[in-house]
Amino acid sequence: MSEEVTAVGWDAIDQALLQVYGEQEPSHYGTMIPYSLGGEDPLDGISAYKSETPIPHWHFVTYGFSELYEKEFENKEYSGYGFELTFRLVRKENEEEPPAWALNLLQNMGRYVFNSGNVFRAGDYLDANGPICLDADTQLTALAFTHDPELAEIDTPNGKMEFIQMVGITEDELEAMQTWNTLGMLEAGIQQIPNYITDLTRASLLQNPQIVEAAEQGMEKEGSNTGFLFVSQLAWQVEKKGWFNKQSHVIQLGAKQADVISKLLRGRILKDRSLSLVGQNITIIFKAADQVGFHEDEQEITITLNRAAVDELSRKLVPQESQFELTSLGGVSFQILKTHIKNQEGEVVKTIG
């Protein structure tokens, strides 16, 4: 006879929720066919609780990023990936069942983690490149991640884990988080988004002048926490020109990310911190130095910049198709390419640059 599988990790999550919701029976959505056996949904389950404070909302909690049953991961300190996701969404009047799109969004986060191996931690962000709810008229096109305000880190028989809450954010809020930091930006807007509850109908926090000022002061004083930026359009081209086949190098960037890279250079290099742009086939690292120059090392390019070069580059990095050189960086030019934003069907819905 096979041994009975005990869900010790699952039980630990339930115990944490019991402290918040008592005997409330949540709406629970389980997965029929495990992901490992060809099922479509990677998470074993998602529970949705009704919360009334500070405003009526759904509180979603996932089961599956941590180890719910026996210990399988080699790392004994953490259970699985070390977290479960939560998501708080405004609950409409008389709404008895949580909206399906939120469940799908959480399962999509599971697919991302399981397929890439990348995990979410408080302070992370993710650009959805479109509305987080596809059929909604909403400005929320990205996600930020912070600690759940009611669920603290717990110890389970399989290791410790924390509850990381997803928060829907706008495009300009995402840029502010990239050029300053996620947690600072969320904290600055806590009066407008209490408990970091996602409201599809809300406007950008940056319509509030006080929040704009907080973000600007934070970036000026602290710089940016973004040391690595994943850039979908990033290339290093080597061209030969003239009679003597003199080599010329071209850094290609997409127009969509040109403006944020401009701000990140100021928030990182001028604070004597490096900035790595990570593409599919190349990584370009910008570092502060007295001498301006570049160095090639297989799939990694290092560009050194002084203050004058940062000032010039940040001025020229605008979301417009162009090609330019820096006064002090011989042999390298920058090319800004158009960015085509596509929907799920692959159709171009917006062109930048």
Side-chain angles (χ1 to χ4, degrees):
M1 294 179 63
S2 61
E3 292 184 14
E4 182 180 350
V5 176
T6 55
V8 293
W10 193 302
D11 291 342
I13 297 170
D14 283 348
Q15 280 299 311
L17 289 162
L18 184 67
Q19 305 304 311
V20 178
Y21 292 107
E23 296 301 322
Q24 181 187 149
E25 192 69 31
S27 298
H28 185 79
Y29 302 86
T31 300
M32 297 296 293
I33 304 175
Y35 200 56
S36 59
L37 298 179
E40 294 184 359
D41 296 329
L43 301 176
D44 287 42
I46 301 171
S47 285
Y49 289 83
K50 284 183 176 181
S51 179
E52 306 301 329
T53 56
I55 59 173
H57 67 276
W58 294 106
H59 187 192
F60 298 86
V61 182
T62 66
Y63 293 76
F65 291 105
S66 62
E67 291 169 287
L68 303 174
Y69 311 103
E70 67 272 8
K71 182 70 183 174
E72 295 180 348
F73 281 54
E74 290 185 8
N75 190 324
K76 304 298 182 185
E77 184 179 0
Y78 293 96
S79 174
Y81 290 107
F83 72 95
E84 291 292 348
L85 283 179
T86 72
F87 183 51
R88 296 174 187 268
L89 179 67
V90 167
R91 192 174 82 246
K92 298 176 182 176
E93 190 174 359
N94 299 323
E95 190 174 49
E96 292 302 319
E97 292 293 330
W101 72 263
L103 301 169
N104 292 332
L105 178 62
L106 287 163
Q107 289 288 3
N108 282 335
M109 295 300 102
R111 292 183 188 95
Y112 170 78
V113 172
F114 285 27
N115 294 335
S116 70
N118 297 327
V119 301
F120 294 117
R121 294 288 181 256
D124 289 345
Y125 50 75
L126 184 70
D127 190 351
N129 290 312
I132 62 171
C133 176
L134 291 178
D135 298 325
D137 181 15
T138 180
Q139 294 183 42
L140 306 185
T141 58
L143 297 163
F145 298 84
T146 185
H147 292 107
D148 188 290
E150 290 185 303
L151 296 171
E153 180 179 275
I154 62 173
D155 288 313
T156 81
N158 291 328
K160 61 185 178 182
M161 55 147 289
E162 55 186 356
F163 295 92
I164 301 296
Q165 183 169 315
M166 277 190 337
V167 189
I169 57 173
T170 65
E171 185 176 4
D172 58 349
E173 290 165 2
L174 171 64
E175 184 175 306
M177 291 174 183
Q178 290 172 323
T179 54
W180 178 26
N181 72 69
T182 301
L183 300 182
M185 186 65 194
L186 286 174
E187 187 176 344
I190 190 65
Q191 296 301 318
Q192 265 116 314
I193 47 172
N195 273 16
Y196 307 125
I197 297 169
T198 293
D199 181 355
L200 293 176
T201 66
R202 77 169 177 85
S204 169
L205 295 173
L206 294 168
Q207 290 190 6
N208 184 322
Q210 291 181 320
I211 297 176
V212 172
E213 184 180 0
E216 290 176 347
Q217 288 183 354
M219 179 187 167
E220 186 66 28
K221 181 179 179 181
E222 304 165 16
S224 169
N225 272 10
T226 303
F228 295 84
L229 184 69
F230 293 95
V231 181
S232 55
Q233 288 175 275
L234 181 69
W236 172 260
Q237 302 287 343
V238 180
E239 301 175 350
K240 292 184 178 180
K241 294 182 178 180
W243 289 96
F244 301 102
N245 286 331
K246 185 177 180 181
Q247 282 192 343
S248 175
H249 305 84
V250 182
I251 295 176
Q252 294 180 332
L253 298 165
K256 182 179 187 293
Q257 291 179 294
D259 191 47
V260 71
I261 292 171
S262 166
K263 294 175 180 176
L264 281 174
L265 286 168
R266 301 191 64 82
R268 297 291 298 181
I269 309 305
L270 297 186
K271 298 295 183 182
D272 202 27
R273 287 182 259 176
S274 64
L275 171 66
S276 295
L277 304 183
V278 182
Q280 289 186 335
N281 301 309
I282 195 75
T283 296
I284 300 178
I285 305 170
F286 293 91
K287 292 184 175 181
D290 294 331
Q291 297 296 319
V292 179
F294 71 95
H295 172 71
E296 293 183 76
D297 184 12
E298 296 183 353
Q299 300 303 105
E300 192 172 277
I301 312 298
T302 300
I303 309 285
T304 55
L305 302 172
N306 57 23
R307 176 175 286 273
V310 171
D311 288 341
E312 182 182 359
L313 181 54
S314 62
R315 285 198 309 272
K316 292 180 175 180
L317 279 175
V318 294
Q320 185 64 48
E321 193 175 30
S322 64
Q323 186 160 348
F324 60 87
E325 296 180 352
L326 296 184
T327 306
S328 55
L329 185 59
V332 177
S333 64
F334 293 79
Q335 185 179 14
I336 309 299
L337 305 173
K338 289 181 184 293
T339 298
H340 301 292
I341 307 296
K342 298 179 181 180
N343 60 19
Q344 287 193 320
E345 285 72 42
E347 301 168 333
V348 176
V349 295
K350 183 180 179 182
T351 299
I352 303 173

